[in-house]
């Protein structure tokens, strides 16, 4: 190997699970590792000492990433198809000497076929078929209720909800913000004997105490300054015969907790400014992301109210624990918003892979917002990893091609990186576009050109 210690470096390269192809700065092949031979079927003795142009001319590969790196003098990454239907990710990185002259091009190759097939096609199809079979839900019809696409960790919750829906048992839904608590409450109402009556929702954390009381209980004429001269019906009146859903019940002020307790126990309430109680017939469902037992210990929530609300507790896990739902939800909301904005959008497999392993701290609400944003801002039909916000797309660790230091130091950096990559084996396939530092339109143009002209292996 030119200026490289073959005896030292080759065993390291051969130990890696990803393929490696190394050329000098002119495009002459220096070495490949065993993984590259296995992935591409191209043997080392056929390419050693040959120029990449000759390898392309001889038909071993259709196009060379190494030559693109030499021409562009910057990292280049491609997602390619080889042997008919196998998907590989090829990343070429330049290495420069102290004077800025290109000395080597290091290309890594990873076979992602099995991973993409398992997680992007079969899994999504199975998910949709399972939902339709078990719940009789047409996901194409319920365009605003994609959360009913349940997976392994939410199926039990929805089964229990469906079982108790025909009753009037008090239900407390617990889960992080954005996990779909309102959607679950709506699902319970739709499957109850009250489905034809109103479903009314109130977020207890969204307004101050006085306003919540007026909204919930209503008020009479002249009950307070600024009140309507005609008075106003409260949600307990409006939801009569139907379902009242109180979201974030843990934020309900203590004074209103006592009034709500009377509604639960006696089906009676007193509007603001009124002297006579009114009766109501509602099915009450509540939800919270707080630990209500902790709130009870801190004196912020009534213990007697807690035990009346959680006769039937339902727990919604966060989206990061519902990976088998993520891709189905993404596809649903992309389709939903694409129809709304009269366009068409699809996810590139590498983009899906990034989103599948994202932690989703904002849960389904964050997923919905991201889907709408991508539909609006992405100029092309296929959404690439580089289209994702920087807070979502991972950055791939690689040697800085413009780093200072001798060639020996840079080779050491490369060896260290290769070893670290081999040990970590990556949590997911690399969202390569995010790590290139090149213009998005340039990336899209180059990738479209690759899809149009064929595949590459190095």
């Amino acid at each position: 190997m030119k200026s490289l210690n073959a005896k030292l470096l080759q065993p390291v390269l051969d130990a890696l699970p990803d393929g490696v192809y190394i050329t000098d700065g002119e495009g002459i092949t220096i070495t490949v590792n065993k993984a590259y031979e296995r992935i591409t079927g191209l043997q080392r003795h056929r390419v050693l000492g040959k120029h990449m142009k000759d390898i392309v001319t001889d038909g071993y590969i259709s196009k060379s990433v190494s030559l693109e790196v030499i021409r562009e003098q910057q990292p280049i990454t491609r997602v390619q198809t080889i042997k008919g239907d196998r998907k590989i990710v090829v990343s070429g990185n330049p290495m420069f000497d102290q004077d800025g002259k290109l000395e080597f091009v290091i290309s890594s190759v990873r076979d992602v076929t099995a991973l993409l097939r398992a997680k992007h096609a079969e899994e999504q199809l199975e998910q949709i078929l399972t939902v339709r079979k078990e719940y009789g839900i047409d996901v194409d019809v319920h365009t605003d209720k994609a959360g009913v696409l349940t997976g392994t960790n939410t199926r039990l919750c929805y089964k229990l909800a469906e079982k108790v829906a025909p009753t009037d048992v008090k239900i407390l839904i617990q889960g992080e913000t954005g996990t779909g608590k309102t959607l679950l409450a709506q699902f319970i109402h739709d499957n109850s004997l009250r489905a034809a009556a109103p479903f009314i929702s109130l977020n207890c954390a969204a307004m101050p105490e006085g306003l919540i009381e007026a909204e919930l209980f209503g008020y009479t004429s002249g009950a307070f300054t600024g009140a309507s001269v005609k008075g106003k019906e409260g949600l307990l009146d409006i939801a009569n015969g139907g379902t009242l859903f109180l979201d974030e019940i843990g934020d309900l002020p203590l004074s209103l907790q006592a009034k709500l307790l009377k509604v639960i126990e006696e089906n009676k309430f007193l509007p603001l400014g009124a002297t006579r109680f009114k009766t109501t017939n509602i099915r009450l469902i509540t939800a919270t992301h707080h630990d209500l037992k902790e709130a009870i210990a801190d004196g912020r929530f009534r213990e007697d109210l807690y035990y009346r609300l959680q006769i039937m507790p339902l727990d919604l896990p966060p989206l990061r624990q519902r990976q088998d739902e993520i891709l189905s939800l993404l596809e649903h909301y992309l389709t939903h918003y694409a129809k709304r904005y009269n366009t068409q959008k699809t996810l590139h497999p590498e983009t899906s892979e990034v989103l599948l392993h994202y932690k989703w701290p904002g849960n389904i609400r964050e997923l919905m917002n991201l889907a709408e944003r991508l539909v609006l801002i992405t100029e092309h039909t296929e959404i690439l990893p580089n289209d994702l916000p920087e807070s979502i797309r991972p950055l791939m660790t690689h040697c800085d091609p413009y780093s200072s230091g001798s060639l020996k130091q840079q080779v050491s950096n490369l060896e260290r990186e290769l070893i670290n990559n081999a040990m970590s084996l990556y949590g997911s396939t690399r969202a390569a576009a995010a790590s290139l530092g090149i213009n998005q339109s340039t990336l899209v143009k180059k990738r479209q050109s690759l899809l149009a002209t064929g595949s590459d292996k190095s």
Side-chain angles (χ1 to χ4, degrees):
M1 298 181 194
K2 180 181 177 181
S3 302
L4 296 179
N5 190 326
K7 292 183 179 180
L8 175 63
L9 190 56
Q10 191 65 50
V12 175
L13 298 178
D14 287 340
L16 298 178
D18 291 349
V20 178
Y21 196 115
I22 302 179
T23 74
D24 63 16
E26 301 296 327
I28 303 297
T29 303
I30 294 177
T31 190
V32 301
N33 69 347
K34 291 181 179 179
Y36 180 88
E37 293 179 310
R38 184 189 72 251
I39 293 170
T40 66
L42 189 59
Q43 300 303 307
R44 185 183 308 170
H45 69 272
R46 295 185 178 277
V47 296
L48 290 183
K50 289 189 175 182
H51 196 282
M52 293 305 301
K53 289 182 179 179
D54 296 330
I55 294 175
V56 173
T57 301
D58 292 342
Y60 289 115
I61 60 176
S62 61
K63 194 174 182 181
S64 171
V65 166
S66 300
L67 293 180
E68 287 192 65
V69 172
I70 294 172
R71 182 173 62 253
E72 300 290 338
Q73 298 284 293
Q74 64 180 355
I76 299 291
T77 298
R78 297 284 182 243
V79 179
Q80 303 165 352
T81 302
I82 63 172
K83 298 179 183 178
D85 63 350
R86 302 196 67 78
K87 295 288 186 180
I88 61 173
V89 177
V90 182
S91 300
N93 286 279
M95 292 184 61
F96 299 88
D97 63 13
Q98 296 180 11
D99 299 323
K101 179 182 178 181
L102 181 63
E103 286 291 305
F104 301 98
V105 177
I106 315 296
S107 295
S108 62
V109 179
R110 190 176 192 193
D111 189 341
V112 296
T113 306
L115 185 60
L116 294 180
R117 283 178 178 173
K119 294 183 178 178
H120 303 313
E122 299 171 357
E123 191 174 79
Q124 292 181 58
L125 179 59
E126 180 182 358
Q127 174 67 28
I128 293 173
L129 292 176
T130 299
V131 171
R132 288 179 173 174
K133 178 180 179 181
E134 294 195 9
Y135 295 96
I137 295 170
D138 186 345
V139 295
D140 294 325
V141 173
H142 292 270
T143 54
D144 292 321
K145 300 177 183 178
V148 299
L149 291 174
T150 58
T152 303
N153 289 337
T154 53
R155 192 166 297 136
L156 181 61
C157 177
Y158 267 85
K159 273 185 171 294
L160 183 56
E162 187 176 35
K163 183 176 181 179
V164 300
T167 73
D168 277 343
V169 65
K170 304 295 186 296
I171 294 175
L172 174 63
I173 304 173
Q174 296 173 291
E176 294 180 5
T177 300
T179 50
K181 297 189 289 293
T182 301
L183 191 66
L184 178 57
Q186 179 76 62
F187 175 85
I188 295 169
H189 173 75
D190 291 344
N191 287 273
S192 73
L193 301 178
R194 299 172 180 262
F199 173 82
I200 304 298
S201 175
L202 176 67
N203 190 323
C204 299
M207 54 187 69
E209 178 177 348
L211 188 54
I212 293 179
E213 185 173 10
E215 287 294 318
L216 190 58
F217 298 99
Y219 55 84
T220 61
S221 175
F224 54 87
T225 302
S228 171
V229 294
K230 296 181 180 180
K232 180 182 178 181
E233 286 188 328
L235 298 184
L236 289 170
D237 281 311
I238 299 172
N240 190 37
T243 301
L244 177 63
F245 173 56
L246 298 181
D247 196 6
E248 299 303 347
I249 190 66
D251 293 307
L252 189 69
L254 279 169
S255 60
L256 298 186
Q257 291 178 30
K259 289 190 172 186
L260 181 61
L261 188 61
K262 188 172 186 66
V263 175
I264 295 173
E265 292 177 337
E266 302 178 17
N267 292 324
K268 293 181 180 180
F269 67 97
L270 188 66
L272 288 172
T275 57
R276 293 184 179 181
F277 282 92
K278 301 180 70 173
T279 61
T280 186
N281 173 24
I282 60 166
R283 197 299 177 57
L284 183 63
I285 302 176
T286 55
T288 183
H289 75 280
H290 293 298
D291 184 339
L292 292 186
K293 288 186 177 181
E294 182 178 308
I296 291 171
D298 293 340
R300 294 181 286 109
F301 202 83
R302 294 178 62 110
E303 186 174 16
D304 50 359
L305 178 60
Y306 170 74
Y307 285 110
R308 283 169 174 79
L309 294 178
Q310 66 93 50
I311 296 174
M312 181 57 65
L314 296 176
D315 294 317
L316 270 177
L319 192 55
R320 60 182 174 275
Q321 296 177 13
R322 298 152 60 178
Q323 280 199 326
D324 51 355
E325 297 178 43
I326 292 174
L327 296 182
S328 295
L329 287 170
L330 281 167
E331 293 293 341
H332 171 86
Y333 280 113
L334 284 174
T335 300
H336 172 71
Y337 289 118
K339 287 181 179 179
R340 174 182 293 184
Y341 298 113
N342 194 29
T343 184
Q344 184 178 1
K345 300 295 178 182
T346 60
L347 292 175
H348 183 275
E350 285 292 298
T351 309
S352 297
E353 188 67 22
V354 172
L355 295 175
L356 184 64
H357 289 84
Y358 178 58
K359 297 303 182 183
W360 298 107
N363 295 296
I364 295 177
R365 187 173 299 140
E366 180 184 9
L367 183 146
M368 293 172 61
N369 293 341
L370 176 65
E372 185 172 15
R373 173 180 175 180
L374 291 175
V375 167
L376 287 171
I377 69 172
T378 306
E379 297 179 358
H380 34 277
T381 300
E382 190 172 42
I383 300 171
L384 304 174
N386 204 44
D387 296 319
L388 299 175
E390 290 186 2
S391 59
I392 292 180
R393 64 192 184 200
L395 295 178
M396 182 178 68
T397 302
H398 62 277
C399 293
D400 180 2
Y402 300 100
S403 63
S404 60
S406 66
L407 177 61
K408 182 178 179 181
Q409 290 173 324
Q410 294 189 55
V411 170
S412 296
N413 289 338
L414 170 64
E415 182 176 349
R416 186 182 304 109
E417 180 185 6
L418 292 172
I419 294 173
N420 289 340
N421 287 346
M423 293 178 64
S424 66
L425 293 179
Y426 307 116
S428 66
T429 55
R430 286 155 290 188
S435 68
L436 301 180
I438 62 175
N439 184 274
Q440 175 181 325
S441 61
T442 301
L443 176 65
V444 173
K445 185 182 299 182
K446 288 179 178 297
R447 187 176 173 282
Q448 289 176 338
S449 175
L450 176 67
L451 293 175
T453 56
S455 61
D456 178 23
K457 300 176 185 176
S458 67

